[in-house]
Amino acid sequence: MINHYWTQNFNSTSSLIGGAVVAGDGENSSIYYNPATIVEMEQGSNVSLAANLFSWNVYRNYNALGTGNNLYNTNFQVQPQFVSFTYKPPKGNVSYAFSVLTRIKEDLETDFASSQDYNVLPNYPGKEMYNSLFSYRNNYADTWVGFGLGQKLKNGFSYGVTLFVSASGLTYHLGYNTTAYKFTDSSFTQYDHSAIAQSAYEESMKFYQYRIISKLGLAYKHDKWRFGLVITIPSLNIFSSGRTASRSQLQSNIRNEEGQLVSEYLIFSVQEKKQLTANYKYPFAASFGFIREFRNGDQKLYFTMEYFNKIKPYSMLGAEINPNITSPQVYDTMQNKDYLSFAYKADPVLNFAIGYSWKIKNELTFLNAFRTDFSSVQNLTSSELNGYNFMKTATYNVYHYSAGINFNWKKNTFIAGGEFSFGYTGDQPQFANFNNPVEYNSETGVALQGPQQNNAYLRYYGVSIYISATLNFISKKNKE
């Protein structure tokens, strides 16, 4: 879910309230949601370990390769989600926090293979054997390591700052291969090589990136109300490593509608390391939230919304321009000579979360929440990209519902709960169309495919189980 900002929450308490903790109650996750609320932690040293026991994700991309040609993927993940340490000294009004969190981790991999009889090649009587292959992978992980501090001021105000170092890695691949050939006899043991038509496409990239992201937070508490405001500064790229990219296109023995051979071509480009530059940006963001207490604090209503700014089109992976990737005749006809670079952009996004907690007993609290997770990419094929290549991803919105319990024992907190996620989108462009293929489409220049349509739609389902513990350590001397 590289196109989403609210895929995961951090610390099980925050997860069960849907991340609606900008105004407070984020416990050790305050370093991420609002560093101004770090001051809410218990006096002494607090260690928090939150684990996503497992996440089960199901992706159903219908008609992705033509009507009825669907892509399915299911993945199961077990991962630590959040580890943090906070320290609130017995004297003074400044608190400190350190944290390691997995902001996002996704590995989506799927493939497709088919062999059918179609009359694809008009110059040969009868049907041909039509084979199609498709493979796709999108693996992205982003880990944040941060240090923050918060200071309590007078009249219910506090402020805080956090500095994160983000270490992320992206592996992306998309490819397909189509062939049509005519057998010379019914035994299917021999064929005429001159009757083989082929069209293939493949693109891939991989890089690791390190960047700095900082947050500035403000919090205010008055009576039964609490408010929070956080500004996230756009990411600052430090360096990248492990950069590789490749892209190729092949078309062989293809005839147009008049039966004339279309020029055969092979375009192949590969670069690595210093030939490439990488920079996946995190945008400016602003979040606001409030908490309203009811019934002497036994029940609380939480609300948070966060706006993510637009990111103008830019080169996420920049490559050197190389005219030697194909023949001069083909190179001269290429619309974009910057063949290997990958462009990216992001639309503005406004997410919101609303949560509710109910203290059943002094030690036991029930929490639940609903939150949105809208896609930051709605139309990568817009004219803003000027024909540049870009990652092919499904753009869908996700909605999450979470619920669980919070159990307090002395000054320690234990959390258990779960989350259900649902996402969908419709009228998406197909990756390819392997139904009713034609030998060549002069308007689009696509061979051995049917006309691509915008009738693909995706359904996503996710289930996660959370468990966490926050342990407080305070010496007898500090207690006194």
Side-chain angles (χ1 to χ4, degrees), residues 207-224:
F207 65 84
Y208 300 94
Q209 183 191 4
Y210 306 88
R211 55 191 177 176
I212 293 176
I213 300 170
S214 55
K215 291 175 176 282
L216 308 175
L218 181 67
Y220 174 70
K221 182 177 181 180
H222 176 71
D223 195 22
K224 297 182 179 181

Side-chain angles (χ1 to χ4, degrees), residues 247-301:
R247 189 180 178 195
S248 64
Q249 290 176 261
L250 169 66
Q251 187 170 286
S252 175
N253 198 24
I254 300 295
R255 296 176 182 269
N256 60 22
E257 291 86 343
E258 288 74 31
Q260 299 173 335
L261 279 172
V262 178
S263 297
E264 297 184 335
Y265 66 84
L266 170 64
I267 307 174
F268 180 83
S269 181
V270 58
Q271 295 183 20
E272 61 181 4
K273 298 180 180 178
K274 293 183 178 180
Q275 295 174 297
L276 301 168
T277 59
N279 182 17
Y280 176 59
K281 298 180 180 181
Y282 192 87
F284 167 87
S287 59
F288 168 79
F290 68 80
I291 300 174
R292 177 67 164 93
E293 297 181 0
F294 302 93
R295 297 189 178 183
N296 298 320
D298 287 345
Q299 297 182 31
K300 298 178 183 178
L301 174 67

Side-chain angles (χ1 to χ4, degrees), residues 24-54:
D25 284 359
E27 297 187 349
N28 279 30
S29 64
S30 298
I31 187 176
Y32 176 84
Y33 290 105
N34 188 349
T37 60
I38 295 174
V39 299
E40 295 182 357
M41 293 301 298
E42 293 283 353
Q43 182 180 317
S45 300
N46 300 274
V47 178
S48 178
L49 174 62
N52 185 338
L53 285 185
F54 71 82

